[in-house]
């Protein structure tokens, strides 16, 4: 699932006509820092990837775009035998605790040669989900099987800003280092935390749910391709 979410902006970029102009596409390392009651409930930060595509409205210093991100705020691992009859063969059971963010945004970005400061307004969703998978115990390769154990979503909106510094100008296209931050307000949602999945004597799963607002400060560092 996470791989599919990350492919969306990439596929969109390659679907554009070759002669397209006035587009920005970026990919970033993403840091998520819970705020307010989200921080009180979930006392840990998140790490992941983020990407966006934006179109500059002709004759205006304004961009409209779509931004997607995925970050992990925890992971549980354990080894289990493939069956009670084959205890020598072990599989890794891995549970990831993730937040997907998807936002539409409007960006005010004046064109200053070589340096581009900007301000963003965003609206969208946060999707919090816990996914378990099994794989070979060496930890490499594709998942053998996976399932989403728990999920919930919240309405999300906020504002942010950043700065782009040009490092290459090819005339029709250019590359920029991009540093940005957002404060994203979020409605209440339920979610799991690392260690919150247990089993009773009958082997049934027990979920120790947490619930709070989902305010989140995000910091992004990456590259922008302007074409």
């Amino acid at each position: 699932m996470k791989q599919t979410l990350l492919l969306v902006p990439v596929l969109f970029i390659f679907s554009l006509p070759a002669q397209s102009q006035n587009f920005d596409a970026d990919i970033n390392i993403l840091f998520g820092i819970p705020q307010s009651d989200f921080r009180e409930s979930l006392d840990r930060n998140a790490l992941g990837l983020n990407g966006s595509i934006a179109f500059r409205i002709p004759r205006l210093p304004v961009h409209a775009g779509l931004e997607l991100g995925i970050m992990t705020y925890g992971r549980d691992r354990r080894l289990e035998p493939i069956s009670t009859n084959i205890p020598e063969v072990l599989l890794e059971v891995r549970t990831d605790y993730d937040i997907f963010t998807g936002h539409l945004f409007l960006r005010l970005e004046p064109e200053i040669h070589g340096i581009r400061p900007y301000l963003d307004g965003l609206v969208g969703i946060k999707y919090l989900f816990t996914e378990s998978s099994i794989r070979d115990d060496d930890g490499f390769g594709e998942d053998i099987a996976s399932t989403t154990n728990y999920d919930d979503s919240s309405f999300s909106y906020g504002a942010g800003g950043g700065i782009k510094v040009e490092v290459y100008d090819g005339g029709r296209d250019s590359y920029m280092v991009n540093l940005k931050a957002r404060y994203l307000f979020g409605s209440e949602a339920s979610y799991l935390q690392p260690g919150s999945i247990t089993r009773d004597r009958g082997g049934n799963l027990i979920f120790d749910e947490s619930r709070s607002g989902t305010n989140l400060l995000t910091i992004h560092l990456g590259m922008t391709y302007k074409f």
Side-chain angles (χ1 to χ4, degrees):
M1 178 179 181
K2 288 184 286 187
Q3 292 86 345
T4 301
L5 294 174
L6 291 174
L7 280 174
V8 171
V10 176
L11 293 175
F12 181 77
I13 292 168
F14 281 102
S15 70
L16 295 171
Q19 69 272 19
S20 293
Q21 295 294 315
N22 300 320
F23 281 90
D24 282 6
D26 64 45
I27 185 73
N28 309 279
I29 298 173
L30 172 63
F31 300 93
I33 306 170
Q35 302 292 302
S36 304
D37 58 338
F38 198 19
R39 166 58 76 184
E40 294 176 7
S41 176
L42 181 66
D43 190 19
R44 57 178 63 228
N45 298 326
L47 177 66
L49 292 174
N50 165 277
S52 71
I53 182 76
F55 172 71
R56 184 173 68 84
I57 298 173
R59 296 182 294 276
L60 291 176
V62 177
H63 290 67
L66 169 68
E67 181 175 275
L68 303 176
I70 185 77
M71 61 192 107
T72 299
Y73 60 86
R75 175 175 292 169
D76 294 330
R77 286 192 179 102
R78 72 178 190 276
L79 294 178
E80 294 282 354
I82 192 170
S83 77
T84 55
N85 296 323
I86 313 175
E88 300 88 354
V89 180
L90 299 177
L91 295 175
E92 180 189 57
V93 180
R94 191 177 79 183
T95 300
D96 291 321
Y97 303 84
D98 300 316
I99 305 173
F100 165 77
T101 58
H103 293 88
L104 300 173
F105 65 86
L106 282 178
R107 172 175 296 164
L108 176 63
E109 182 179 319
E111 295 195 15
I112 303 173
H113 182 69
I115 299 177
R116 294 172 179 259
Y118 58 90
L119 294 174
D120 293 338
L122 307 97
V123 62
I125 65 165
K126 296 186 187 80
Y127 175 60
L128 297 87
F129 64 103
T130 299
E131 186 176 69
S132 294
S133 60
I134 55 174
R135 56 177 58 197
D136 295 337
D137 66 350
D138 59 10
F140 296 101
E142 294 293 325
D143 293 343
I144 297 173
S146 64
T147 186
T148 299
N149 298 307
Y150 195 92
D151 64 343
D152 198 4
S153 60
S154 69
F155 176 67
S156 179
Y157 66 97
I163 187 168
K164 303 174 188 174
V165 179
E166 189 173 79
V167 293
Y168 170 78
D169 184 0
R172 292 176 61 88
D173 58 3
S174 61
Y175 291 89
M176 306 176 188
V177 175
N178 188 10
L179 174 64
K180 58 184 173 181
R182 282 95 166 72
Y183 194 99
L184 300 171
F185 297 93
S187 58
E188 285 195 350
S190 298
Y191 49 91
L192 300 181
Q193 302 193 39
S196 62
I197 302 177
T198 58
R199 288 180 289 183
D200 61 20
R201 293 181 179 179
N204 300 307
L205 293 178
I206 300 173
F207 300 136
D208 184 12
E209 306 169 10
S210 299
R211 185 171 181 83
S212 68
T214 56
N215 292 359
L216 189 67
L217 172 66
T218 62
I219 300 172
H220 315 236
L221 176 62
M223 294 293 297
T224 296
Y225 173 50
K226 183 175 179 60
F227 59 103

